[in-house]
Amino acid sequence: MALIRLRQICKTFRLGDSEVHALNHVDLDIGAGEFLAIIGASGSGKSTLMNVLGCLDQADSGEYVLENSAVQQLNARQLAAIRNRRIGFVFQGFNLLPRTSALENVMLPLVYARDGASGPSPVQRARLALQRVGLQDRMHHEPSQLSGGQQQRVAIARALINNPAIILADEPTGNLDSRTTLEVLALFQSLNNSGITIILVTHETDVAEHARRIIEMQDGTIIQDRPVGRRRIAPGPRPTASAEGVQP
């Protein structure tokens, strides 16, 4: 059974006197452990689809089943729990709190979880997440002390903190140079190889080719759904050196 199943999903926005059909009867199945890229021009519906998949917005009609739960039947509290526990989000703009350490930024989702779960402490979990993305020696640095690629890796560590089944990444390489883009894509490939489902929205075909499957959108519909024939394997990130005289 698919991890995600969409059937006849529609979403319409009103702009003045006109209506924009952002999603127009979309059908889509995504299996557990897939690495899917969603591509399309501006206005194609890819970001709206991402918002629906991430339970950030609800469709006007249609059926969305996530891990055997009918999303359209869930209340606001249940949707918030899914966003916090089952889905990790990564955005183009990093969305890190300034004057706050990488460790504290990564711990932030735990403030909202409040599940009282046993096991490692929040600090231990954040340290492990930062280690997973190769930033164990930057955990006490603030965003202004980090490069763009390092900030995005902090954001990815934050997305990992609650061990999500799915990571939704909306243009995660849009603010990065070409070398750092490859490092971030290599990290997503590594996370996908560990079993996490990755759904990446991008307008760049070269970025999409690092996934295992690509769907292309136009005018709110899926016009192409294809596997990646020869997947590009991104080179891994370079080791991060500690700043001189700064203790992690």
Side-chain angles (χ1 to χ4, degrees):
M1 180 175 292
L3 175 69
I4 289 172
R5 187 174 76 248
L6 303 182
R7 292 293 180 270
Q8 296 295 293
I9 293 292
C10 294
K11 181 69 177 179
T12 300
F13 297 102
R14 183 172 294 278
L15 295 177
D17 295 330
S18 61
E19 290 186 341
V20 176
H21 299 285
L23 296 176
N24 192 6
H25 300 284
V26 171
D27 291 339
L28 178 65
D29 289 338
I30 302 174
E34 283 203 67
F35 188 164
L36 173 73
I38 304 172
I39 64 173
S42 178
S44 63
K46 61 184 187 299
S47 293
T48 303
L49 178 59
M50 171 72 79
N51 289 338
V52 169
L53 289 171
C55 301
L56 298 169
D57 199 359
Q58 289 189 299
D60 296 330
S61 61
E63 179 186 48
Y64 176 13
V65 177
L66 171 63
E67 294 183 318
N68 299 319
S69 295
V71 170
Q72 66 271 22
Q73 297 177 9
L74 302 179
N75 59 36
R77 187 172 184 176
Q78 291 169 320
L79 291 171
I82 286 177
R83 291 192 300 268
N84 186 260
R85 302 170 192 272
R86 304 306 297 152
I87 303 174
F89 296 91
V90 180
F91 299 100
Q92 178 177 345
F94 315 141
N95 294 349
L96 302 179
L97 295 178
R99 297 181 296 280
T100 304
S101 70
L103 188 71
E104 292 167 324
N105 267 290
V106 172
M107 284 193 295
L108 189 61
L110 300 179
V111 174
Y112 302 102
R114 297 180 181 178
D115 54 8
S118 59
S121 69
V123 171
Q124 289 173 317
R125 289 169 65 180
R127 286 177 180 269
L128 288 171
L130 284 167
Q131 182 176 356
R132 195 170 182 182
V133 302
L135 286 181
Q136 60 271 18
D137 56 353
R138 288 288 191 267
M139 62 181 63
H140 295 299
H141 289 58
E142 296 179 2
S144 62
Q145 298 171 306
L146 301 173
S147 68
Q150 289 170 341
Q151 290 184 61
Q152 191 60 290
R153 281 193 274 161
V154 172
I156 294 170
R158 182 181 57 195
L160 292 170
I161 192 69
N162 281 321
N163 298 314
I166 304 164
I167 288 182
L168 298 181
D170 191 1
E171 300 281 3
T173 62
N175 287 339
L176 305 178
D177 61 33
S178 57
R179 181 183 66 81
T180 310
T181 289
L182 291 177
E183 292 179 354
V184 168
L185 290 172
L187 180 54
F188 281 130
Q189 289 176 339
S190 176
L191 295 173
N192 178 244
N193 290 338
S194 74
I196 298 176
T197 302
I198 308 290
I199 304 173
L200 183 151
V201 165
T202 181
H203 65 276
E204 300 179 74
T205 302
D206 286 350
V207 170
E209 292 290 342
H210 289 83
R212 298 182 185 273
R213 175 185 171 197
I214 296 174
I215 68 168
E216 182 176 358
M217 299 196 67
Q218 180 179 301
D219 298 330
T221 64
I222 295 174
I223 62 171
Q224 187 179 58
D225 185 341
R226 64 176 177 87
V228 176
R230 299 184 65 181
R231 185 191 191 199
R232 296 187 183 183
I233 306 300
R238 299 175 184 177
T240 304
S242 297
E244 184 177 354
V246 178
Q247 296 297 320

